[in-house]
Amino acid sequence: MSSIMSSLCLVILLLLTGCAGTTGFQDYTDYKNHLPKSIIVITPENHSLDINAAPSLLTQINYPLAEAGYYVFPIAVVEETFRQNGVTNAHDIRTINPKKIQEIFGADALLDLQIKDYGTQFQLIDSVTRVTAAAKLIDLKTGAVLWSGNATANSNEQDNSVDLNPIGVLVKAVVKQVMATSTNKSHQIAGITACRLLAVGGKNGLLYGPRSPLFKQDQQ
């Protein structure tokens, strides 16, 4: 993992944890009783129109989970194992009994990702790149949902500039659209979404895993 991604997640975990999570409050009872040591991440189910959404988010999920203190199975190993067993798409993976996945990989839990929105949209007076995702952490022995959350990030969060000239606004939107496409802005925003989604220690966030020095401190 690059130093850029490390710094990005660190900043987000410190400053933006409040932007992640579900509405209301999590019930952590099952999570604490079946706290996993190892997690397998399967291919996200993509509900956006961009075919690159699933691989983009998937490649940025392992780092925040590892930083939270969990062992995460290598993505390439997981995908190849499923492929060797004739399972090649996200929908088919989700039809497999959790206990069977546990038998194959020996993992404690599975992270199920859903991509709700991914990509750059040209609006009337602006262009916005947005990535929204949801996740469930599932205990592979019991099938119970230990935790769930959702998060979103967009390219306009830090843009406070105001342009009252209609032509200037339109030109700015077009330029942002072109730049977002040429620089793969969606992939960058997906990294922010991943860090927010899997933030630990905050309201409705993940619990620290056994490999973290903060393990169980958030359960007091």
Side-chain angles (χ1 to χ4, degrees):
M1 180 60 61
S2 68
S3 59
I4 295 177
M5 186 63 180
S6 301
S7 301
L8 174 64
C9 281
L10 178 60
V11 170
I12 291 169
L13 291 177
L14 291 175
L15 301 178
L16 301 177
T17 300
C19 298
T22 58
T23 56
F25 292 90
Q26 292 274 353
D27 181 353
Y28 286 97
T29 303
D30 284 341
Y31 196 168
K32 293 177 180 179
N33 290 336
H34 303 280
L35 191 67
K37 296 180 180 179
S38 59
I39 297 174
I40 177 175
V41 182
I42 60 175
T43 302
E45 196 158 27
N46 182 22
H47 300 283
S48 78
L49 299 177
D50 194 323
I51 61 174
N52 297 313
S56 172
L57 183 64
L58 184 61
T59 59
Q60 302 186 80
I61 286 295
N62 279 24
Y63 178 78
L65 279 177
E67 284 293 291
Y70 299 96
Y71 173 76
V72 189
F73 284 74
I75 293 173
V77 173
V78 172
E79 291 191 329
E80 179 62 18
T81 301
F82 279 122
R83 191 184 69 81
Q84 291 291 338
N85 285 274
V87 183
T88 58
N89 63 68
H91 173 74
D92 289 345
I93 292 175
R94 285 161 176 78
T95 65
I96 302 174
N97 189 300
K99 289 185 178 180
K100 185 63 175 180
I101 296 178
Q102 198 277 332
E103 290 175 5
I104 294 173
F105 292 96
D108 298 318
L110 176 148
L111 188 73
D112 185 347
L113 295 163
Q114 304 282 328
I115 300 175
K116 307 297 185 180
D117 196 10
Y118 183 101
T120 302
Q121 298 178 349
F122 184 76
Q123 302 172 346
L124 182 61
I125 58 173
D126 202 0
S127 178
V128 181
T129 302
R130 179 179 290 104
V131 178
T132 302
K136 292 188 297 184
L137 186 64
I138 301 171
D139 182 74
L140 287 175
K141 291 183 178 179
T142 65
V145 176
L146 305 180
W147 169 89
S148 63
N150 58 75
T152 188
N154 71 78
S155 58
N156 279 6
E157 293 178 17
Q158 303 300 323
D159 187 0
N160 298 316
S161 60
V162 177
D163 190 341
L164 300 180
N165 184 336
I167 297 179
V169 170
L170 184 59
V171 170
K172 179 181 177 181
V174 173
V175 170
K176 287 174 65 179
Q177 174 92 6
V178 173
M179 289 298 294
T181 303
S182 63
T183 60
N184 198 6
K185 189 70 174 179
S186 297
H187 185 69
Q188 299 174 30
I189 299 300
I192 299 175
T193 300
C195 289
R196 286 181 177 174
L197 179 62
L198 302 174
V200 290
K203 175 186 175 182
N204 296 329
L206 287 172
L207 298 178
Y208 285 102
R211 293 169 176 253
S212 170
L214 299 177
F215 179 52
K216 289 191 175 181
Q217 290 188 23
D218 52 357
Q219 300 182 37
Q220 303 302 321

